[in-house]
Amino acid sequence: MILWILLFLLILVVFGFGFTTQALWWVAAVLLGVWIFGFARRGRGRGRRRGGRRYGRSRG
């Protein structure tokens, strides 16, 4: 009887691991799509900020 319980627990663990890895592949694919979308939307600027750079201008 204990052998059947251990076998059942092993099957649950393997099934859970397989389901989790499949779900993680989908999450990784979605995150890759979001990253590509953000990269394409922002462009390949060299860290430019909105409003341009400020070269030591005083406020006064």
Side-chain angles (χ1 to χ4, degrees), residues 8-30:
F8 180 69
L9 288 175
L10 180 65
I11 290 170
L12 284 177
V13 167
V14 170
F15 175 75
F17 182 71
F19 177 76
T20 303
T21 53
Q22 182 68 23
L24 288 177
W25 275 108
W26 282 106
V27 168
V30 169

PDB file of all heavy atoms in Angstrom, residues 8-30:
ATOM      1  N   PHE A   8       2.000   7.153  -6.538  1.00  0.00           N
ATOM      2  CA  PHE A   8       1.031   8.201  -6.833  1.00  0.00           C
ATOM      3  C   PHE A   8       1.626   9.592  -6.587  1.00  0.00           C
ATOM      4  O   PHE A   8       1.460  10.503  -7.393  1.00  0.00           O
ATOM      5  CB  PHE A   8      -0.227   8.000  -5.980  1.00  0.00           C
ATOM      6  CG  PHE A   8      -1.286   9.030  -6.214  1.00  0.00           C
ATOM      7  CD1 PHE A   8      -1.976   9.072  -7.409  1.00  0.00           C
ATOM      8  CD2 PHE A   8      -1.587   9.976  -5.245  1.00  0.00           C
ATOM      9  CE1 PHE A   8      -2.950  10.025  -7.638  1.00  0.00           C
ATOM     10  CE2 PHE A   8      -2.554  10.936  -5.460  1.00  0.00           C
ATOM     11  CZ  PHE A   8      -3.239  10.958  -6.657  1.00  0.00           C
ATOM     12  N   LEU A   9       2.370   9.757  -5.494  1.00  0.00           N
ATOM     13  CA  LEU A   9       3.030  11.033  -5.212  1.00  0.00           C
ATOM     14  C   LEU A   9       4.082  11.355  -6.270  1.00  0.00           C
ATOM     15  O   LEU A   9       4.228  12.510  -6.696  1.00  0.00           O
ATOM     16  CB  LEU A   9       3.657  11.007  -3.821  1.00  0.00           C
ATOM     17  CG  LEU A   9       2.675  11.052  -2.649  1.00  0.00           C
ATOM     18  CD1 LEU A   9       3.428  10.897  -1.342  1.00  0.00           C
ATOM     19  CD2 LEU A   9       1.885  12.337  -2.665  1.00  0.00           C
ATOM     20  N   LEU A  10       4.820  10.348  -6.709  1.00  0.00           N
ATOM     21  CA  LEU A  10       5.813  10.559  -7.755  1.00  0.00           C
ATOM     22  C   LEU A  10       5.148  11.002  -9.057  1.00  0.00           C
ATOM     23  O   LEU A  10       5.630  11.915  -9.733  1.00  0.00           O
ATOM     24  CB  LEU A  10       6.625   9.283  -7.977  1.00  0.00           C
ATOM     25  CG  LEU A  10       7.705   9.357  -9.046  1.00  0.00           C
ATOM     26  CD1 LEU A  10       8.779  10.353  -8.632  1.00  0.00           C
ATOM     27  CD2 LEU A  10       8.294   7.997  -9.297  1.00  0.00           C
ATOM     28  N   ILE A  11       4.026  10.381  -9.397  1.00  0.00           N
ATOM     29  CA  ILE A  11       3.291  10.771 -10.597  1.00  0.00           C
ATOM     30  C   ILE A  11       2.799  12.207 -10.471  1.00  0.00           C
ATOM     31  O   ILE A  11       2.884  12.997 -11.424  1.00  0.00           O
ATOM     32  CB  ILE A  11       2.122   9.799 -10.857  1.00  0.00           C
ATOM     33  CG1 ILE A  11       2.677   8.446 -11.288  1.00  0.00           C
ATOM     34  CG2 ILE A  11       1.166  10.342 -11.907  1.00  0.00           C
ATOM     35  CD1 ILE A  11       1.642   7.352 -11.335  1.00  0.00           C
ATOM     36  N   LEU A  12       2.298  12.605  -9.318  1.00  0.00           N
ATOM     37  CA  LEU A  12       1.853  13.978  -9.113  1.00  0.00           C
ATOM     38  C   LEU A  12       2.996  14.976  -9.257  1.00  0.00           C
ATOM     39  O   LEU A  12       2.836  16.036  -9.861  1.00  0.00           O
ATOM     40  CB  LEU A  12       1.198  14.128  -7.740  1.00  0.00           C
ATOM     41  CG  LEU A  12      -0.211  13.564  -7.594  1.00  0.00           C
ATOM     42  CD1 LEU A  12      -0.682  13.717  -6.157  1.00  0.00           C
ATOM     43  CD2 LEU A  12      -1.162  14.258  -8.538  1.00  0.00           C
ATOM     44  N   VAL A  13       4.144  14.638  -8.712  1.00  0.00           N
ATOM     45  CA  VAL A  13       5.300  15.528  -8.802  1.00  0.00           C
ATOM     46  C   VAL A  13       5.746  15.676 -10.254  1.00  0.00           C
ATOM     47  O   VAL A  13       5.991  16.788 -10.731  1.00  0.00           O
ATOM     48  CB  VAL A  13       6.455  15.012  -7.912  1.00  0.00           C
ATOM     49  CG1 VAL A  13       7.756  15.731  -8.217  1.00  0.00           C
ATOM     50  CG2 VAL A  13       6.089  15.177  -6.452  1.00  0.00           C
ATOM     51  N   VAL A  14       5.831  14.578 -10.976  1.00  0.00           N
ATOM     52  CA  VAL A  14       6.267  14.635 -12.373  1.00  0.00           C
ATOM     53  C   VAL A  14       5.243  15.389 -13.209  1.00  0.00           C
ATOM     54  O   VAL A  14       5.600  16.213 -14.058  1.00  0.00           O
ATOM     55  CB  VAL A  14       6.506  13.205 -12.914  1.00  0.00           C
ATOM     56  CG1 VAL A  14       6.713  13.213 -14.413  1.00  0.00           C
ATOM     57  CG2 VAL A  14       7.697  12.581 -12.222  1.00  0.00           C
ATOM     58  N   PHE A  15       3.961  15.155 -12.986  1.00  0.00           N
ATOM     59  CA  PHE A  15       2.927  15.871 -13.722  1.00  0.00           C
ATOM     60  C   PHE A  15       2.982  17.364 -13.412  1.00  0.00           C
ATOM     61  O   PHE A  15       2.904  18.192 -14.305  1.00  0.00           O
ATOM     62  CB  PHE A  15       1.542  15.327 -13.368  1.00  0.00           C
ATOM     63  CG  PHE A  15       0.424  16.099 -14.000  1.00  0.00           C
ATOM     64  CD1 PHE A  15       0.138  15.947 -15.337  1.00  0.00           C
ATOM     65  CD2 PHE A  15      -0.329  16.987 -13.252  1.00  0.00           C
ATOM     66  CE1 PHE A  15      -0.894  16.658 -15.929  1.00  0.00           C
ATOM     67  CE2 PHE A  15      -1.354  17.710 -13.827  1.00  0.00           C
ATOM     68  CZ  PHE A  15      -1.638  17.542 -15.175  1.00  0.00           C
ATOM     69  N   GLY A  16       3.153  17.721 -12.153  1.00  0.00           N
ATOM     70  CA  GLY A  16       3.246  19.129 -11.761  1.00  0.00           C
ATOM     71  C   GLY A  16       4.461  19.801 -12.368  1.00  0.00           C
ATOM     72  O   GLY A  16       4.393  20.934 -12.834  1.00  0.00           O
ATOM     73  N   PHE A  17       5.581  19.093 -12.399  1.00  0.00           N
ATOM     74  CA  PHE A  17       6.792  19.657 -13.000  1.00  0.00           C
ATOM     75  C   PHE A  17       6.602  19.876 -14.489  1.00  0.00           C
ATOM     76  O   PHE A  17       6.996  20.907 -15.032  1.00  0.00           O
ATOM     77  CB  PHE A  17       7.983  18.729 -12.733  1.00  0.00           C
ATOM     78  CG  PHE A  17       9.273  19.257 -13.268  1.00  0.00           C
ATOM     79  CD1 PHE A  17       9.888  20.342 -12.671  1.00  0.00           C
ATOM     80  CD2 PHE A  17       9.864  18.686 -14.377  1.00  0.00           C
ATOM     81  CE1 PHE A  17      11.076  20.841 -13.164  1.00  0.00           C
ATOM     82  CE2 PHE A  17      11.055  19.171 -14.881  1.00  0.00           C
ATOM     83  CZ  PHE A  17      11.659  20.253 -14.271  1.00  0.00           C
ATOM     84  N   GLY A  18       5.988  18.938 -15.172  1.00  0.00           N
ATOM     85  CA  GLY A  18       5.737  19.085 -16.602  1.00  0.00           C
ATOM     86  C   GLY A  18       4.796  20.239 -16.892  1.00  0.00           C
ATOM     87  O   GLY A  18       5.008  21.021 -17.824  1.00  0.00           O
ATOM     88  N   PHE A  19       3.750  20.375 -16.095  1.00  0.00           N
ATOM     89  CA  PHE A  19       2.811  21.483 -16.280  1.00  0.00           C
ATOM     90  C   PHE A  19       3.494  22.817 -16.014  1.00  0.00           C
ATOM     91  O   PHE A  19       3.310  23.781 -16.748  1.00  0.00           O
ATOM     92  CB  PHE A  19       1.610  21.312 -15.351  1.00  0.00           C
ATOM     93  CG  PHE A  19       0.634  22.439 -15.438  1.00  0.00           C
ATOM     94  CD1 PHE A  19      -0.228  22.546 -16.514  1.00  0.00           C
ATOM     95  CD2 PHE A  19       0.585  23.416 -14.455  1.00  0.00           C
ATOM     96  CE1 PHE A  19      -1.130  23.590 -16.610  1.00  0.00           C
ATOM     97  CE2 PHE A  19      -0.308  24.465 -14.535  1.00  0.00           C
ATOM     98  CZ  PHE A  19      -1.163  24.550 -15.619  1.00  0.00           C
ATOM     99  N   THR A  20       4.302  22.871 -14.982  1.00  0.00           N
ATOM    100  CA  THR A  20       4.988  24.112 -14.620  1.00  0.00           C
ATOM    101  C   THR A  20       5.970  24.536 -15.706  1.00  0.00           C
ATOM    102  O   THR A  20       6.022  25.705 -16.071  1.00  0.00           O
ATOM    103  CB  THR A  20       5.731  23.937 -13.284  1.00  0.00           C
ATOM    104  OG1 THR A  20       4.790  23.549 -12.295  1.00  0.00           O
ATOM    105  CG2 THR A  20       6.405  25.205 -12.854  1.00  0.00           C
ATOM    106  N   THR A  21       6.731  23.599 -16.235  1.00  0.00           N
ATOM    107  CA  THR A  21       7.691  23.969 -17.265  1.00  0.00           C
ATOM    108  C   THR A  21       6.978  24.431 -18.529  1.00  0.00           C
ATOM    109  O   THR A  21       7.444  25.357 -19.192  1.00  0.00           O
ATOM    110  CB  THR A  21       8.648  22.810 -17.602  1.00  0.00           C
ATOM    111  OG1 THR A  21       7.886  21.643 -17.920  1.00  0.00           O
ATOM    112  CG2 THR A  21       9.569  22.516 -16.445  1.00  0.00           C
ATOM    113  N   GLN A  22       5.855  23.804 -18.863  1.00  0.00           N
ATOM    114  CA  GLN A  22       5.092  24.245 -20.035  1.00  0.00           C
ATOM    115  C   GLN A  22       4.575  25.664 -19.814  1.00  0.00           C
ATOM    116  O   GLN A  22       4.642  26.504 -20.711  1.00  0.00           O
ATOM    117  CB  GLN A  22       3.920  23.292 -20.289  1.00  0.00           C
ATOM    118  CG  GLN A  22       3.098  23.631 -21.497  1.00  0.00           C
ATOM    119  CD  GLN A  22       3.840  23.421 -22.799  1.00  0.00           C
ATOM    120  OE1 GLN A  22       4.788  22.640 -22.846  1.00  0.00           O
ATOM    121  NE2 GLN A  22       3.441  24.106 -23.824  1.00  0.00           N
ATOM    122  N   ALA A  23       4.066  25.944 -18.615  1.00  0.00           N
ATOM    123  CA  ALA A  23       3.564  27.288 -18.310  1.00  0.00           C
ATOM    124  C   ALA A  23       4.704  28.306 -18.339  1.00  0.00           C
ATOM    125  O   ALA A  23       4.523  29.427 -18.813  1.00  0.00           O
ATOM    126  CB  ALA A  23       2.874  27.297 -16.945  1.00  0.00           C
ATOM    127  N   LEU A  24       5.879  27.931 -17.853  1.00  0.00           N
ATOM    128  CA  LEU A  24       7.015  28.846 -17.857  1.00  0.00           C
ATOM    129  C   LEU A  24       7.476  29.155 -19.277  1.00  0.00           C
ATOM    130  O   LEU A  24       7.933  30.265 -19.554  1.00  0.00           O
ATOM    131  CB  LEU A  24       8.172  28.275 -17.031  1.00  0.00           C
ATOM    132  CG  LEU A  24       7.951  28.288 -15.525  1.00  0.00           C
ATOM    133  CD1 LEU A  24       9.132  27.634 -14.820  1.00  0.00           C
ATOM    134  CD2 LEU A  24       7.736  29.693 -15.012  1.00  0.00           C
ATOM    135  N   TRP A  25       7.354  28.201 -20.188  1.00  0.00           N
ATOM    136  CA  TRP A  25       7.681  28.481 -21.590  1.00  0.00           C
ATOM    137  C   TRP A  25       6.746  29.536 -22.154  1.00  0.00           C
ATOM    138  O   TRP A  25       7.174  30.435 -22.884  1.00  0.00           O
ATOM    139  CB  TRP A  25       7.598  27.207 -22.434  1.00  0.00           C
ATOM    140  CG  TRP A  25       8.855  26.398 -22.402  1.00  0.00           C
ATOM    141  CD1 TRP A  25       9.043  25.213 -21.767  1.00  0.00           C
ATOM    142  CD2 TRP A  25      10.111  26.716 -23.011  1.00  0.00           C
ATOM    143  NE1 TRP A  25      10.332  24.778 -21.938  1.00  0.00           N
ATOM    144  CE2 TRP A  25      10.999  25.680 -22.709  1.00  0.00           C
ATOM    145  CE3 TRP A  25      10.553  27.788 -23.786  1.00  0.00           C
ATOM    146  CZ2 TRP A  25      12.322  25.678 -23.162  1.00  0.00           C
ATOM    147  CZ3 TRP A  25      11.863  27.780 -24.234  1.00  0.00           C
ATOM    148  CH2 TRP A  25      12.732  26.732 -23.917  1.00  0.00           C
ATOM    149  N   TRP A  26       5.457  29.453 -21.819  1.00  0.00           N
ATOM    150  CA  TRP A  26       4.491  30.435 -22.308  1.00  0.00           C
ATOM    151  C   TRP A  26       4.772  31.808 -21.710  1.00  0.00           C
ATOM    152  O   TRP A  26       4.701  32.826 -22.392  1.00  0.00           O
ATOM    153  CB  TRP A  26       3.058  30.000 -22.004  1.00  0.00           C
ATOM    154  CG  TRP A  26       2.589  28.947 -22.954  1.00  0.00           C
ATOM    155  CD1 TRP A  26       2.426  27.625 -22.688  1.00  0.00           C
ATOM    156  CD2 TRP A  26       2.245  29.127 -24.330  1.00  0.00           C
ATOM    157  NE1 TRP A  26       2.009  26.976 -23.813  1.00  0.00           N
ATOM    158  CE2 TRP A  26       1.880  27.869 -24.834  1.00  0.00           C
ATOM    159  CE3 TRP A  26       2.222  30.226 -25.179  1.00  0.00           C
ATOM    160  CZ2 TRP A  26       1.492  27.699 -26.159  1.00  0.00           C
ATOM    161  CZ3 TRP A  26       1.829  30.053 -26.503  1.00  0.00           C
ATOM    162  CH2 TRP A  26       1.470  28.802 -26.973  1.00  0.00           C
ATOM    163  N   VAL A  27       5.115  31.851 -20.423  1.00  0.00           N
ATOM    164  CA  VAL A  27       5.438  33.123 -19.775  1.00  0.00           C
ATOM    165  C   VAL A  27       6.680  33.739 -20.425  1.00  0.00           C
ATOM    166  O   VAL A  27       6.725  34.943 -20.691  1.00  0.00           O
ATOM    167  CB  VAL A  27       5.638  32.925 -18.254  1.00  0.00           C
ATOM    168  CG1 VAL A  27       6.247  34.150 -17.607  1.00  0.00           C
ATOM    169  CG2 VAL A  27       4.318  32.567 -17.593  1.00  0.00           C
ATOM    170  N   ALA A  28       7.687  32.918 -20.691  1.00  0.00           N
ATOM    171  CA  ALA A  28       8.905  33.419 -21.331  1.00  0.00           C
ATOM    172  C   ALA A  28       8.607  33.954 -22.730  1.00  0.00           C
ATOM    173  O   ALA A  28       9.153  34.986 -23.131  1.00  0.00           O
ATOM    174  CB  ALA A  28       9.954  32.305 -21.399  1.00  0.00           C
ATOM    175  N   ALA A  29       7.728  33.273 -23.466  1.00  0.00           N
ATOM    176  CA  ALA A  29       7.380  33.739 -24.806  1.00  0.00           C
ATOM    177  C   ALA A  29       6.649  35.078 -24.756  1.00  0.00           C
ATOM    178  O   ALA A  29       6.912  35.977 -25.557  1.00  0.00           O
ATOM    179  CB  ALA A  29       6.517  32.691 -25.513  1.00  0.00           C
ATOM    180  N   VAL A  30       5.743  35.245 -23.796  1.00  0.00           N
ATOM    181  CA  VAL A  30       5.018  36.510 -23.653  1.00  0.00           C
ATOM    182  C   VAL A  30       5.969  37.637 -23.265  1.00  0.00           C
ATOM    183  O   VAL A  30       5.912  38.740 -23.823  1.00  0.00           O
ATOM    184  CB  VAL A  30       3.872  36.365 -22.628  1.00  0.00           C
ATOM    185  CG1 VAL A  30       3.288  37.711 -22.254  1.00  0.00           C
ATOM    186  CG2 VAL A  30       2.783  35.460 -23.189  1.00  0.00           C
TER     187      VAL A  30
END
